[in-house]
Amino acid sequence: MKVDRGPRIALRTVALVYLGLLLVLPVGLILYRTFEDGIGAFWDQISTPASISAISLTLEIVAIVVPLNVVFGVFVALALVRGRFRGRGIVQAIVDLPFAVSPVIVGVSLILLWGTDGWFGGVADAGFQIIFSLPGMVLATIFVTLPFVVREVEPVLHEIGNEQEQAASTLGADRWQTFWRITLPSIRWGLAYGIVLTIARALGEFGAVSVVSAGASGESETLTLLVANRFEDLNLPGSYAAATVLMGFALVALILMSLFEYRSKRA
Amino acid sequence: MIAAENVEKHYGDFHALRDVSIEIPDGSLTALLGPSGSGKSTLLRVIAGLEVPDSGAVVISGEDVTHTSPQKRGIGFVFQHYAAFKHMTVRDNVAFGLKIRKRGKDEIARRVDELLEIVGLAGYQTRYPSQLSGGQRQRMALARALAVEPQVLLLDEPFGALDAKVREDLRTWLRRLHDDVHVTTVLVTHDQEEAMDVADRIAVMSEGRIEQVGSPRELYDTPQTEFVMSFLGPTATLRGEVVRPHDLVLSHEKIDDGVAVIIERVVHLGFEVRVELLDEAGERVTAQTTRGRAAELGLYPGQALFVRTARPDQIPAL
């Protein structure tokens, strides 16, 4: 479509103002507030025991969730693309469930299931705390990040087809060798992209985790919870500093994401 | 020897192979020839173990391998679309089977270089498949399949995705390769010219059945069914008799049971001249003759002539 010069500039202005007002300004404002009193003040805020605990807890959750979702995601994607079984449609729908369900509901449902009065409440009675503890937060994060690896790997598997795998089998490779030497290297960029999306989503998860976390500062507070709690306690500089750390992680994820997306499209 | 015995295969309602039995002698280059849907690729994949037959058996070198996985059959398989390992260099592609077999590094390097020399890709070791042309990729795939010294080489429409010119070069090359390497080879193709050019034996397939097996010459000269007759070359029907267009003899005088015809069109195709005729009943018949013979007869549209079928004893023996 060809647009005249006048309207074209108007359109661009509207788009830029929209992005600026809704995205750049709020984020920029947080950065401005964070570093208003200098790097030293920022450093003081993020080196408190509560901050360090929140950062390490967040990274811990990511470190547990990502490998689990990678194994599960690749397995499900393989089953969906290569498998011929009844109920594939249902599995497809279930994989997308976390996209549709609000994270708060995920948190509440986890309490219903694992809480002391829940179906699996016996586990808590036996002394293995799920809800209001790390396992609960991990479960909540797994739930909300579950689709990413599956949905990124699936189209790549479709595209490469199974001829390379068949060729490997005629050359003497067993299933395991074929998977490691052929399938995995072929899907690596799609998988990497899915992993980065999972990491980004896990870092930023708030709703589900806030329901199942005990919320104890310095103990069961993730970075997002730290931002919210400090804000509620009117510790605004602390809240901004934690938010900036979170954004820093997200930025790294975003850069990796663009890189992997570029590589996977080229491959 | 490779044999398929009474093989049956269904895909849902589709009857892909109907009681197929065939024997493929050691060292031969056999073509499975037929139109799409005739079951030729299915038969090849059953021999490879990529498909399991509903019933029947596959025997390779006296051993029943019907339920043996492809990896243990000692086969080499070449796919129409190359199935190149895209994330590996040419060297690693060809070395794949040897690495799986845990051969020594030096042995692998030597063997890979040797094979790349044979397929004309020496010096391409560090390239990736995306940097090769279609013909080069297919030659790499052949080297990869040959690397593991298979008892039988199975080729599924190996030249089907290539340009006509490259296809012709590659099949001449394959024929020579087979003369050098002598590995029992089964080639699937829908192109009768390709089959006649490359193979020493052809099995013609139609609707999941093997119609006839024989040398190219046998199939061309003594087809046992009308399908084989028409699939292996052009046909012409004169007074209800189906013959090859070049077995129609044109003459100015009526000889034996010659039929009176009128020339409708004369097409010069280089050495071959195609003459389109109309008989008294208005039926069209196409005859094929040579440039020299056409000049002798002085053919022109509208000319009245006689045509008869050459008697078998008049077909010159080669």
Side-chain angles (χ1 to χ4, degrees), chain B residues 228-243:
Chain B
V228 174
M229 172 93 190
S230 61
F231 201 77
L232 282 202
T235 57
T237 311
L238 188 69
R239 259 201 242 115
E241 195 188 347
V242 183
V243 295

mmCIF file of all heavy atoms in Angstrom, chain B residues 228-243:
data_model
loop_
_atom_site.group_PDB
_atom_site.id
_atom_site.type_symbol
_atom_site.label_atom_id
_atom_site.label_comp_id
_atom_site.label_asym_id
_atom_site.label_seq_id
_atom_site.Cartn_x
_atom_site.Cartn_y
_atom_site.Cartn_z
ATOM 1 N N VAL B 228 2.539 -53.328 -19.453
ATOM 2 C CA VAL B 228 3.998 -53.285 -19.637
ATOM 3 C C VAL B 228 4.315 -52.721 -21.010
ATOM 4 O O VAL B 228 5.179 -51.862 -21.171
ATOM 5 C CB VAL B 228 4.610 -54.697 -19.473
ATOM 6 C CG1 VAL B 228 6.095 -54.678 -19.801
ATOM 7 C CG2 VAL B 228 4.386 -55.203 -18.054
ATOM 8 N N MET B 229 3.568 -53.181 -22.008
ATOM 9 C CA MET B 229 3.739 -52.701 -23.390
ATOM 10 C C MET B 229 3.642 -51.179 -23.436
ATOM 11 O O MET B 229 4.498 -50.496 -23.978
ATOM 12 C CB MET B 229 2.655 -53.340 -24.247
ATOM 13 C CG MET B 229 2.575 -52.799 -25.650
ATOM 14 S SD MET B 229 3.572 -53.802 -26.755
ATOM 15 C CE MET B 229 3.559 -52.799 -28.228
ATOM 16 N N SER B 230 2.570 -50.642 -22.834
ATOM 17 C CA SER B 230 2.349 -49.206 -22.977
ATOM 18 C C SER B 230 3.229 -48.388 -22.024
ATOM 19 O O SER B 230 3.567 -47.257 -22.323
ATOM 20 C CB SER B 230 0.877 -48.870 -22.734
ATOM 21 O OG SER B 230 0.513 -49.235 -21.431
ATOM 22 N N PHE B 231 3.649 -49.010 -20.914
ATOM 23 C CA PHE B 231 4.453 -48.234 -19.977
ATOM 24 C C PHE B 231 5.900 -48.102 -20.440
ATOM 25 O O PHE B 231 6.577 -47.143 -20.139
ATOM 26 C CB PHE B 231 4.410 -48.856 -18.574
ATOM 27 C CG PHE B 231 4.776 -47.876 -17.505
ATOM 28 C CD1 PHE B 231 3.864 -46.922 -17.077
ATOM 29 C CD2 PHE B 231 6.046 -47.872 -16.943
ATOM 30 C CE1 PHE B 231 4.203 -45.983 -16.119
ATOM 31 C CE2 PHE B 231 6.380 -46.934 -15.972
ATOM 32 C CZ PHE B 231 5.463 -46.004 -15.566
ATOM 33 N N LEU B 232 6.385 -49.099 -21.206
ATOM 34 C CA LEU B 232 7.789 -49.085 -21.604
ATOM 35 C C LEU B 232 8.060 -48.286 -22.870
ATOM 36 O O LEU B 232 9.206 -48.089 -23.248
ATOM 37 C CB LEU B 232 8.306 -50.517 -21.796
ATOM 38 C CG LEU B 232 8.636 -51.263 -20.516
ATOM 39 C CD1 LEU B 232 9.589 -52.389 -20.798
ATOM 40 C CD2 LEU B 232 9.223 -50.364 -19.456
ATOM 41 N N GLY B 233 7.014 -47.836 -23.528
ATOM 42 C CA GLY B 233 7.272 -47.052 -24.728
ATOM 43 C C GLY B 233 5.971 -46.710 -25.414
ATOM 44 O O GLY B 233 4.908 -47.180 -25.026
ATOM 45 N N PRO B 234 6.048 -45.897 -26.474
ATOM 46 C CA PRO B 234 4.838 -45.513 -27.188
ATOM 47 C C PRO B 234 4.237 -46.720 -27.906
ATOM 48 O O PRO B 234 4.947 -47.662 -28.258
ATOM 49 C CB PRO B 234 5.332 -44.456 -28.173
ATOM 50 C CG PRO B 234 6.790 -44.709 -28.316
ATOM 51 C CD PRO B 234 7.256 -45.298 -27.029
ATOM 52 N N THR B 235 2.937 -46.714 -28.110
ATOM 53 C CA THR B 235 2.281 -47.806 -28.835
ATOM 54 C C THR B 235 1.407 -47.234 -29.949
ATOM 55 O O THR B 235 1.031 -46.075 -29.915
ATOM 56 C CB THR B 235 1.371 -48.634 -27.902
ATOM 57 O OG1 THR B 235 0.423 -47.747 -27.318
ATOM 58 C CG2 THR B 235 2.163 -49.329 -26.807
ATOM 59 N N ALA B 236 1.124 -48.083 -30.906
ATOM 60 C CA ALA B 236 0.187 -47.715 -31.967
ATOM 61 C C ALA B 236 -0.756 -48.906 -32.169
ATOM 62 O O ALA B 236 -0.352 -50.043 -31.975
ATOM 63 C CB ALA B 236 0.947 -47.427 -33.256
ATOM 64 N N THR B 237 -2.017 -48.623 -32.502
ATOM 65 C CA THR B 237 -2.964 -49.709 -32.714
ATOM 66 C C THR B 237 -3.360 -49.746 -34.184
ATOM 67 O O THR B 237 -3.846 -48.758 -34.736
ATOM 68 C CB THR B 237 -4.226 -49.500 -31.859
ATOM 69 O OG1 THR B 237 -3.812 -49.224 -30.528
ATOM 70 C CG2 THR B 237 -5.113 -50.737 -31.873
ATOM 71 N N LEU B 238 -3.060 -50.884 -34.849
ATOM 72 C CA LEU B 238 -3.445 -51.033 -36.252
ATOM 73 C C LEU B 238 -4.346 -52.257 -36.370
ATOM 74 O O LEU B 238 -3.937 -53.372 -36.060
ATOM 75 C CB LEU B 238 -2.185 -51.206 -37.118
ATOM 76 C CG LEU B 238 -2.439 -51.174 -38.618
ATOM 77 C CD1 LEU B 238 -2.844 -49.782 -39.071
ATOM 78 C CD2 LEU B 238 -1.211 -51.649 -39.374
ATOM 79 N N ARG B 239 -5.555 -52.045 -36.800
ATOM 80 C CA ARG B 239 -6.547 -53.115 -36.918
ATOM 81 C C ARG B 239 -6.633 -53.943 -35.630
ATOM 82 O O ARG B 239 -6.599 -55.164 -35.646
ATOM 83 C CB ARG B 239 -6.184 -54.043 -38.078
ATOM 84 C CG ARG B 239 -7.037 -53.729 -39.297
ATOM 85 C CD ARG B 239 -7.042 -54.926 -40.223
ATOM 86 N NE ARG B 239 -6.473 -54.593 -41.488
ATOM 87 C CZ ARG B 239 -5.353 -55.108 -41.977
ATOM 88 N NH1 ARG B 239 -4.663 -55.985 -41.296
ATOM 89 N NH2 ARG B 239 -4.948 -54.754 -43.151
ATOM 90 N N GLY B 240 -6.646 -53.240 -34.486
ATOM 91 C CA GLY B 240 -6.820 -53.928 -33.213
ATOM 92 C C GLY B 240 -5.547 -54.522 -32.654
ATOM 93 O O GLY B 240 -5.524 -55.013 -31.535
ATOM 94 N N GLU B 241 -4.467 -54.453 -33.428
ATOM 95 C CA GLU B 241 -3.207 -55.018 -32.963
ATOM 96 C C GLU B 241 -2.338 -53.901 -32.381
ATOM 97 O O GLU B 241 -2.158 -52.863 -33.026
ATOM 98 C CB GLU B 241 -2.492 -55.681 -34.153
ATOM 99 C CG GLU B 241 -1.367 -56.594 -33.740
ATOM 100 C CD GLU B 241 -0.568 -57.069 -34.975
ATOM 101 O OE1 GLU B 241 -1.054 -56.886 -36.111
ATOM 102 O OE2 GLU B 241 0.524 -57.591 -34.776
ATOM 103 N N VAL B 242 -1.836 -54.121 -31.138
ATOM 104 C CA VAL B 242 -1.012 -53.092 -30.484
ATOM 105 C C VAL B 242 0.452 -53.367 -30.767
ATOM 106 O O VAL B 242 0.964 -54.446 -30.461
ATOM 107 C CB VAL B 242 -1.270 -53.067 -28.968
ATOM 108 C CG1 VAL B 242 -0.460 -51.940 -28.314
ATOM 109 C CG2 VAL B 242 -2.745 -52.895 -28.687
ATOM 110 N N VAL B 243 1.110 -52.413 -31.400
ATOM 111 C CA VAL B 243 2.527 -52.578 -31.743
ATOM 112 C C VAL B 243 3.281 -51.292 -31.409
ATOM 113 O O VAL B 243 2.675 -50.295 -31.020
ATOM 114 C CB VAL B 243 2.720 -52.879 -33.251
ATOM 115 C CG1 VAL B 243 2.099 -54.217 -33.623
ATOM 116 C CG2 VAL B 243 2.128 -51.751 -34.095
#
